[in-house]
């Protein structure tokens, strides 16, 4: 059989050439251990390969050769494990972007990033890139990673509460009610009819243990004997054999209650993702040939025009074709301040149109809109396991058989070698089996990771899995790109120095040769002309001189606009002009010299201003003990001025390869996070331990780096690190609770201080406690500085 390694390094069957991809919705799969159970059972069927499961979306995808195994056999195998299956329509599988830490530090997603060359200006302004990455990649860490993680007991079956259904309406909820009623009836019988009480407790135990035993033996037949269901079956049966029927019935009831509580707790994390999906309206109003009609939003096609009335949610990602209105994008970016948008500007599905009617051209299908991508990212990020989670998973595989062996020794050695009573030591061994279950320990990590990813998504902080969270928590240095990251990426004219001609004429001459250019500095000059009502006329014979500037002729006047160092050979700079250039560049401004007929007409100073929250964001990082460093291609004086105003270190005049070298040098001593725009900083993002893309919900922001900040706020870098640190702290507390309770009750059980019902209560209680503690992260406010 051909094999291939998965993301965790294990060898798994390679996809079979004549197989087809099938998809199912799996009911009752609410933890990574559940995924491990299903994967382990289904993979053993002939003709099955490439099994992938997503716990958050409760789906299973696999490749199947139906000439060897039919679909019904797959569904029968899954149903035998206690889960439900619903076949889904086949869908295209988008290429994945594996988490960097799981591909040996590669991190570069394979995107082919294009760049525009604006070298004709050479104003000292480097790094700006207007290119758009048109690749349609969906981030996806390996789904197999989830199948390998979990409680360490592959048969640990939960049943998450379906949306809109109360716990008591589920199958496990009904089992709790039935076993509880039987237990209560048995206790009542012990008061009214003591001689029949023993048989009543036996009946209560059997009613509760039969469905558990059925799942246990189904998992065992699939090659997974060490499951919590099997331990429960052995413990309950053993208790009945030694005459502890009352305790056996109570243990079965407590186990059922614990399972329901775990399912309810796990569903809370999933509910936050469902709520995000509910933000997109179910219907849309489309316009065709002057007529409107209401259609299913999920059926919208690219190119259709939708009418969005004031107060309505926008039904699809698109572009405004008519109207101007304030758009509340908080559902997508978390930014509560509405943005005014007009014709030609993009809008996101789920955003709220707050002012006037808009017509929007659909640019993305429903399954590819921004909110769908965020949901898919969060779901798939569950599969990129943290190193801590992988370690605990490996530990549990050894721990579980060891506990079984210890229980056997406890049951056998004291009676055989020390003359102990068989019933007493068998009872203690059965209790030891229950208390030894590692459920609480192994769920402590994925529960916290799931809650953290969900919280981050709601606050505009996207991290691609536990591996990214754990690395972010260890960040010692954050390196920032300047343009578009620390600054707004939109230079504006800050000062005009008139020398040979009046100020308005200086601007008019410069604008005439810049008209039609898309370079940010050219646009800044044109904006200045428009703002002061200066006529915009096109110069004739306008052209760019590579690496120097632009030239042209207006009204017979020969014009050159470029960096002062290139203008020195075309005109004389007196002391006043030289002092002005030095003063402006020292202030962090980019200077363009305007020469008319060989004489210096004036200087135009432009500056890409820092974002409003940049200084505060750097201060918050400093408060966290994290160094901040700006990497820029700008001249040294500009870099020093910007960095100095923000209170951070800097490295200037860097080419893209220089940024990579700087990141590698910094990484030798600590974990480095690189924050950039996700396009022209791709090499540096890949070189850093974590690459974070800044962007308001764009494809690049969602897909290029290991994490994304949707609000485009510098402060959110500190917020991401705070959330990551809080998550790792939560995990450490959870591990402490799980191991502490195990240690205490393992000792008390062996010495006979605690019995079966206390053992199962401690095990289930510990699992519920760590899950509830992890869910506290759902309320964590990452933006609140501490």
């Amino acid at each position: 059989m051909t094999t291939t390694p998965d993301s965790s390094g294990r060898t798994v069957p390679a996809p079979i050439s004549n197989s087809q991809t099938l998809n199912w919705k799996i009911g009752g799969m609410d933890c990574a251990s559940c995924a491990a159970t299903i994967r382990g059972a289904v993979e053993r069927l002939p003709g099955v390969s490439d099994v992938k499961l997503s716990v958050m979306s409760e789906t299973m995808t696999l490749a199947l050769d139906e000439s060897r195994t039919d679909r019904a056999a797959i569904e029968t195998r899954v149903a035998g494990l206690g889960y439900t299956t619903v076949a889904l329509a086949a869908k295209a599988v988008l290429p994945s972007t594996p988490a960097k830490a799981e591909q040996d530090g590669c991190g570069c997603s394979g995107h082919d990033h294009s760049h525009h060359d604006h070298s004709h200006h050479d104003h000292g302004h480097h790094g700006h890139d207007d290119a758009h990455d048109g690749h349609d990649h969906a981030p996806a860490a390996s789904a197999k990673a989830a199948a390998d993680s979990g409680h360490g007991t592959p048969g640990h079956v939960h049943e998450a509460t379906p949306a809109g259904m109360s716990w008591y309406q589920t199958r496990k909820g009904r089992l709790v009610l039935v076993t509880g009623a039987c237990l209560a009836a048995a206790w009542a019988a012990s008061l009214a009819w003591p001689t029949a009480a023993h048989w009543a407790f036996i009946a209560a135990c059997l009613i509760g243990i039969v469905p558990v035993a059925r799942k246990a033996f189904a998992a065992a037949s699939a090659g997974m004997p060490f499951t919590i269901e099997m331990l429960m079956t052995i413990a309950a049966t053993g208790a009945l054999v030694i005459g502890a029927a009352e305790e056996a019935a109570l243990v079965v009831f407590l186990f059922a209650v614990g399972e329901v509580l775990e399912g309810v707790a796990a569903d809370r994390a999933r509910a936050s993702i469902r709520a995000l999906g509910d933000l997109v309206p179910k219907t849309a109003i489309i316009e065709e040939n002057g007529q409107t009609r209401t259609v299913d939003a999920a059926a919208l096609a690219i190119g259709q025009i939708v009418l969005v009335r004031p107060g309505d949610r926008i039904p699809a990602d698109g572009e405004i074709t008519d109207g101007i209105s304030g758009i509340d994008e908080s559902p997508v970016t978390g930014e509560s301040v509405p943005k005014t948008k007009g014709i030609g500007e993009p809008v996101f599905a789920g955003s709220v149109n707050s002012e006037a009617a808009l017509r929007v051209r659909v640019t993305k299908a429903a399954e590819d809109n921004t909110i769908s991508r965020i949901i898919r990212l969060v779901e798939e990020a569950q599969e990129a396991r943290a190193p801590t989670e992988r370690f605990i998973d490996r530990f549990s595989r050894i721990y579980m058989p060891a506990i079984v062996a210890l229980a056997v020794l406890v049951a056998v050695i004291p009676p055989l070698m020390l003359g102990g009573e068989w019933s007493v030591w068998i009872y203690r061994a059965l209790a030891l089996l229950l208390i030894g279950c590692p459920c609480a320990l192994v769920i402590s990590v994925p529960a916290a990771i799931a809650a953290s990813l969900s919280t981050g998504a709601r606050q505009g902080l996207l991290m691609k899995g536990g591996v990214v969270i754990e690395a972010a928590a260890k960040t010692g240095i954050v390196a920032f790109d300047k343009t578009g990251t620390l600054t707004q990426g939109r230079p504006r004219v800050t000062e005009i120095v008139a020398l040979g001609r009046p100020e308005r004429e200086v601007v008019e001459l410069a604008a005439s040769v810049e008209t039609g250019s898309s370079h940010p500095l050219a646009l800044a000059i044109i904006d200045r002309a428009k703002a002061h009502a200066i006529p915009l006329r096109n110069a004739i014979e306008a052209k760019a001189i590579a690496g120097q500037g632009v030239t042209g002729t207006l009204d017979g006047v020969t014009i050159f606009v470029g960096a002062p160092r290139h203008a020195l050979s075309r005109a004389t700079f007196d002391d006043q002009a030289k002092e002005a250039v030095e003063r402006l560049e020292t202030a962090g401004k980019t200077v363009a010299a305007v020469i008319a007929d060989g004489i210096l007409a004036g200087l135009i100073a432009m500056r890409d201003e820092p974002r409003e929250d940049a200084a505060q964001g750097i201060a918050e990082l400093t408060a966290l003990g994290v160094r901040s460093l700006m990497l820029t291609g700008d001249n040294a004086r500009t870099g020093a001025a910007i960095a100095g105003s923000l209170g951070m270190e800097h490295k200037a005049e860097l080419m893209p390869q220089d940024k990579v070298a700087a990141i590698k040098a910094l990484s030798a001593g600590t974990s480095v996070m690189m924050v950039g725009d996700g396009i022209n900083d791709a090499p540096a993002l890949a070189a850093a331990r974590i690459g974070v893309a800044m962007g308001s919900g764009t494809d690049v922001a969602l897909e290029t780096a290991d994490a994304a900040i949707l609000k485009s706020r510098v402060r959110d870098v500190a917020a991401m690190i705070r959330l990551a640190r809080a998550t790792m702290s939560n995990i450490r507390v959870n591990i402490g609770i799980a191991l502490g309770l195990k240690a205490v009750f393992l000792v008390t059980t062996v010495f006979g201080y605690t019995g079966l019902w206390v053992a199962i209560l401690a095990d289930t209680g510990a699992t519920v406690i760590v899950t509830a503690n992890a869910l506290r992260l759902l309320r964590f406010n990452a933006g609140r500085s501490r």
Side-chain angles (χ1 to χ4, degrees), residues 265 268-269 272 450-452 454-455 458-459 774-780:
R268 286 188 57 191
S272 64
S452 179
S454 177
T455 295
R458 293 200 314 273
Q459 298 181 33
L775 292 178
R776 291 193 306 113
L777 289 169
L778 292 173
R779 300 191 300 273
F780 184 80

Side-chain angles (χ1 to χ4, degrees), residues 502-774:
E503 181 177 310
R504 287 179 60 87
E505 195 170 331
V506 171
V507 176
E508 181 179 7
L509 291 173
S512 69
V513 294
E514 299 284 16
T515 301
S517 172
S518 61
H519 190 279
L521 298 178
L523 296 177
I525 293 173
I526 294 170
D527 287 344
R528 174 67 176 229
K530 291 179 179 178
H532 289 75
I534 297 173
L536 287 174
R537 295 184 292 156
N538 293 333
I540 61 175
E541 298 180 352
K543 63 180 180 179
I545 301 177
Q548 296 189 30
V550 290
T551 63
T553 303
L554 182 69
D555 296 334
V557 177
T558 301
I559 306 163
F560 171 83
V561 179
R565 62 180 178 275
H566 297 302
L568 284 170
S569 61
R570 298 171 179 270
T572 301
F573 279 58
D574 58 18
D575 291 341
Q576 178 187 0
K578 292 178 180 177
E579 290 174 3
V581 170
E582 183 176 355
R583 174 179 61 82
L584 294 170
E585 289 187 344
T586 302
K589 298 178 181 180
T590 298
V591 180
V594 181
I595 297 175
D597 284 337
I599 299 174
L600 181 62
L603 304 172
I604 300 178
M606 292 163 281
R607 176 162 159 162
D608 185 5
E609 296 294 333
R611 294 180 184 271
E612 293 181 0
D613 70 323
Q616 184 178 0
I618 300 304
E620 290 184 13
L621 285 172
T622 302
L624 291 172
V626 178
R627 288 173 55 197
S628 299
L629 173 69
M630 182 181 76
L631 303 179
T632 179
D634 259 337
N635 65 72
R637 283 188 291 198
T638 298
I642 297 290
S645 68
L646 299 178
M648 64 190 302
E649 305 169 47
H650 76 284
K651 291 181 181 293
E653 300 182 358
L654 300 179
M655 298 299 287
Q657 62 269 26
D658 298 327
K659 292 183 180 181
V660 172
I663 292 293
K664 290 182 177 178
L666 292 168
S667 298
T670 186
S671 180
V672 178
M673 174 186 290
M674 173 69 192
V675 184
D677 63 9
I679 304 174
N680 59 338
D681 296 304
L685 290 172
R689 180 68 181 84
I690 303 175
V692 179
M694 193 79 98
S696 299
T698 62
D699 289 350
V700 169
L702 293 178
E703 296 160 14
T704 300
D706 303 304
I709 293 174
L710 298 187
K711 296 180 187 178
S712 294
R713 298 196 319 183
V714 178
R715 286 190 62 198
D716 281 354
V717 177
M720 181 174 288
I721 293 175
R722 273 195 293 271
L723 177 58
R725 289 183 178 181
T727 303
M728 296 312 298
S729 176
N730 187 285
I731 287 172
R732 285 190 291 270
V733 170
N734 278 349
I735 292 174
I737 291 173
L739 290 178
L741 287 174
K742 295 294 178 193
V744 170
F745 285 100
L746 280 173
V747 173
T748 58
T749 298
V750 171
F751 286 98
Y753 295 112
T754 52
L756 282 174
W757 71 272
V758 175
I760 191 62
L761 188 62
D763 173 63
T764 300
T767 305
V768 172
I769 288 171
V770 298
T771 304
N773 184 52

Side-chain angles (χ1 to χ4, degrees), residues 175 205-217 233 252:
L175 180 62
C205 177
L206 292 176
I207 289 174
I209 200 63
V210 165
V212 177
R214 186 163 56 242
K215 295 172 185 175
F217 288 113
T233 302
V252 171

